[in-house]
Amino acid sequence: MRLTLIQMEVRYKKPQANLDTVESLLTSCQTPGDIVLLPELFTSGYLFKSATELHELAEENTGSKTIVRLQSLARQLDTLIVAGLPEKKDNQYFNSAVAVDKDGLKACYRKISQTNIDRQYFSRGNKPVVFEHMGIRLGIAICFDLWFPEIVREYVKQGVDVILHPANFGGQQSLHMARARAIENDVYIATCNRLGSESTETISGHYCGNSQVCTPTGDYLLKLEHQEETATTILNIDSENPKKVIGVNLIDEMNAITEILKTSNKES
């Protein structure tokens, strides 16, 4: 499976300009991958003076101009696009990531973890989302999600081979977390982080790029720097064999440890 990262500078509160950037980068890419991954909230940016300011940029998935545009690109380039965006649903707002192919919306994940910024704008998602593409089981985690191994463990239990990780962060901690989660869960983790800066009266954000793709052994298939670019790599996925860490069957050991801890908690 070929995977393309679109590391881009997100134009603040300019959805159409950001979609134009994606189209320009993708159509100039020699051969886009079977999956194209974009950053978190790529249409809007992340820091706002008020929740209302961001909510005005959110769209419902049904009839979304953004999803229609991504579908057109996916059809044109014969790919699946995974992209972070602000979503409105039933008078709630979510920090979401959608998977869109030539037929339209294939999956939608809503961020489960919440930073202090997320809490100001968004409701919390309540479940992991697993879907298949080209016979490979995929999961989505958004930015801060990877700080919580419980989320990734749930994906592992559901047989996910690759975790797609749209992100908006400024430091290196989340990159280290991604590599650790890849190693401890025997999964590929692809992180697409944005570029650019934003500020309000109370907070500033400077986004570092440095997007990467980690193998289950912690090696880097891609490791980008700090410029707007596309990059493609190949994932050699063996989904037939059970997941292992240092030769130990991961699921069996997870289940054994879980039972021991349950017993221990009851006795205490």
Side-chain angles (χ1 to χ4, degrees):
M1 175 180 281
R2 299 173 69 256
L3 171 67
T4 297
L5 303 185
I6 304 292
Q7 180 170 281
M8 59 182 287
E9 181 172 348
V10 173
R11 278 66 178 180
Y12 186 55
K13 297 196 294 186
K14 294 182 178 179
Q16 292 308 308
N18 290 315
L19 282 161
D20 289 344
T21 296
V22 170
E23 182 169 354
S24 175
L25 289 170
L26 265 181
T27 53
S28 64
C29 183
Q30 194 166 31
T31 310
D34 305 300
I35 299 174
V36 172
L37 181 60
L38 307 181
E40 177 184 16
L41 296 175
F42 91 96
T43 57
S44 61
Y46 188 53
L47 300 178
F48 293 85
K49 295 177 182 178
S50 68
T52 300
E53 194 175 29
L54 174 58
H55 293 171
E56 288 173 351
L57 297 169
E59 297 176 275
E60 295 188 8
N61 285 339
T62 302
S64 161
K65 293 180 181 178
T66 298
I67 290 175
V68 168
R69 183 94 176 265
L70 293 177
Q71 180 183 356
S72 176
L73 275 172
R75 183 186 300 114
Q76 176 186 341
L77 300 169
D78 191 24
T79 191
L80 171 83
I81 300 174
V82 175
L85 44 74
E87 179 200 359
K88 179 182 179 182
K89 181 175 174 58
D90 299 332
N91 294 317
Q92 293 189 82
Y93 296 86
F94 297 94
N95 184 340
S96 297
V98 293
V100 180
D101 64 10
K102 61 183 177 61
D103 298 316
L105 183 67
K106 186 167 184 173
C108 177
Y109 168 76
R110 299 180 179 113
K111 189 175 181 181
I112 294 172
S113 69
Q114 288 199 319
T115 65
N116 290 333
I117 300 298
D118 288 312
R119 289 193 183 100
Q120 295 178 47
Y121 310 141
F122 299 112
S123 298
R124 191 188 293 270
N126 61 12
K127 62 181 179 180
V129 170
V130 177
F131 61 101
E132 289 194 8
H133 183 61
M134 298 177 62
I136 303 300
R137 288 178 70 78
L138 305 167
I140 302 173
I142 298 175
C143 205
F144 193 43
D145 283 337
L146 285 198
W147 286 66
F148 301 92
E150 299 87 349
I151 294 173
V152 181
R153 286 295 200 213
E154 184 57 35
Y155 278 127
V156 170
K157 290 175 183 176
Q158 296 188 37
V160 161
D161 298 301
V162 182
I163 293 176
L164 302 169
H165 180 221
N168 270 3
F169 57 79
Q172 299 297 307
Q173 299 98 322
S174 290
L175 294 169
H176 299 321
M177 292 292 180
R179 184 167 183 258
R181 296 291 92 84
I183 294 169
E184 71 187 10
N185 292 286
D186 193 24
V187 293
Y188 286 88
I189 295 186
T191 298
C192 188
N193 191 37
R194 63 168 286 194
L195 302 165
S197 298
E198 295 167 358
S199 62
T200 68
E201 294 176 355
T202 58
I203 190 170
S204 295
H206 305 279
Y207 305 101
C208 66
N210 298 136
S211 301
Q212 65 185 29
V213 179
C214 285
T215 71
T217 56
D219 297 319
Y220 296 109
L221 295 178
L222 283 178
K223 197 165 177 62
L224 307 187
E225 296 184 355
H226 189 76
Q227 65 272 346
E228 197 165 71
E229 63 177 309
T230 65
T232 301
T233 190
I234 296 174
L235 310 184
N236 293 309
I237 299 165
D238 181 5
S239 57
E240 298 300 320
N241 291 322
K243 295 187 182 300
K244 293 185 177 182
V245 287
I246 58 171
V248 175
N249 185 297
L250 178 60
I251 300 297
D252 288 349
E253 193 65 13
M254 284 167 53
N255 291 337
I257 291 169
T258 298
E259 288 305 312
I260 289 170
L261 294 176
K262 282 181 181 177
T263 302
S264 173
N265 289 335
K266 287 177 182 177
E267 290 176 351
S268 62

